[in-house]
Amino acid sequence: MILTLHVLFAGLWLGCVVTEVLFERALLHRGRETERLLARLHLRVDLWVELPVMAGAAITGVLLWGGAGSPWLYAKMGLGALAVLANLVCATFVFRRAAAAKADAWESFGTADAWQHKSGAVVLVALVAALAIGIGQRL
């Protein structure tokens, strides 16, 4: 049951990250009003979908750990922890970017945007790598 929940949460989290990447690529640099919309949209997705689903994946991941494990398990755990930490950093920049867009502080928007994308890339790579290990262990 916990494994099923964990896979569900992790899959939803990855799907959310991929969706955000797609709407970032489609809407960024399309004018200030579109960037305001993008910032609000990304903030809402983080608050109502991504962060709760990420928390579910983290909690179920911890519950699955029975103490000892293989090097592959530790690699998945490390990648999962990296993804969680990077996602928390990324969310901080999502919040900062939304506030900057609302305040017409476009230099701050650009700085937050750049850091958000860097930390988001770490999230995506860590999630895909953990998934690849999990799939590889099942084959």
Side-chain angles (χ1 to χ4, degrees):
M1 174 66 171
I2 293 175
L3 178 60
T4 301
L5 284 173
H6 182 68
V7 171
L8 177 66
F9 283 131
L12 288 170
W13 182 18
L14 179 58
C16 186
V17 170
V18 170
T19 300
E20 288 172 336
V21 167
L22 294 174
F23 68 65
E24 286 284 337
R25 294 195 48 91
L27 298 176
L28 194 60
H29 307 301
R30 301 275 190 229
R32 295 302 187 205
E33 287 307 312
T34 303
E35 288 180 331
R36 269 191 200 90
L37 173 64
L38 172 62
R40 285 193 317 267
L41 178 63
H42 200 145
L43 178 66
R44 286 181 184 160
V45 170
D46 274 15
L47 284 173
W48 297 106
V49 181
E50 185 173 5
L51 293 174
V53 167
M54 178 202 71
I59 291 166
T60 55
V62 169
L63 292 174
L64 283 170
W65 185 44
S70 71
W72 288 115
L73 174 63
Y74 292 127
K76 282 191 301 189
M77 289 170 61
L79 288 163
L82 175 61
V84 167
L85 291 173
N87 209 139
L88 292 173
V89 169
C90 186
T92 299
F93 290 112
V94 168
F95 299 144
R96 287 183 186 177
R97 184 178 75 163
K102 187 175 183 179
D104 286 327
W106 296 106
E107 187 173 328
S108 295
F109 178 97
T111 301
D113 183 72
W115 283 105
Q116 174 207 314
H117 290 126
K118 289 174 185 170
S119 55
V122 173
V123 175
L124 182 58
V125 169
L127 281 173
V128 169
L131 176 64
I133 292 171
I135 290 170
Q137 286 183 300
R138 298 283 178 213
L139 297 179

